[in-house]
Amino acid sequence: RVRTEQDQSMPKRGTSMAQVEAKFGAPQQKYPAVGGGSRRTPPINRWTYPTFSVYFENSHVVDAVLTKVNAEEVGPAPATK
């Protein structure tokens, strides 16, 4: 999965919300901001796309996480010994 994430096109750190939406389109879901009560706890937003989630601090990307290798993936692979 790590190798797949490196090959996947995802938003880069520091990209603005407007740039993410322009490049990847509208997200499937935009979650309400969490935090934001003080300077030490800025608002964190999460947007979900079919294969990844994007986390924003204020209005800029802090991380993008691959949630599925492809849109058809149903869940995690079974553990192997």
Side-chain angles (χ1 to χ4, degrees), residues 6 8-16 20 24 60-62 64:
Q6 292 170 347
Q8 179 85 15
S9 175
M10 294 193 300
K12 305 290 184 224
R13 185 181 187 109
T15 307
S16 72
V20 170
F24 297 96
H60 290 84
V61 174
V62 289

Side-chain angles (χ1 to χ4, degrees), residues 10-50:
M10 294 193 300
K12 305 290 184 224
R13 185 181 187 109
T15 307
S16 72
M17 287 179 166
Q19 291 170 319
V20 170
E21 202 156 6
K23 182 172 182 177
F24 297 96
Q28 289 180 325
Q29 187 167 3
K30 292 181 180 180
Y31 292 89
V34 176
S38 71
R39 186 177 173 104
R40 291 186 58 197
T41 59
I44 303 296
N45 291 284
R46 178 169 60 120
W47 291 2
T48 57
Y49 286 87

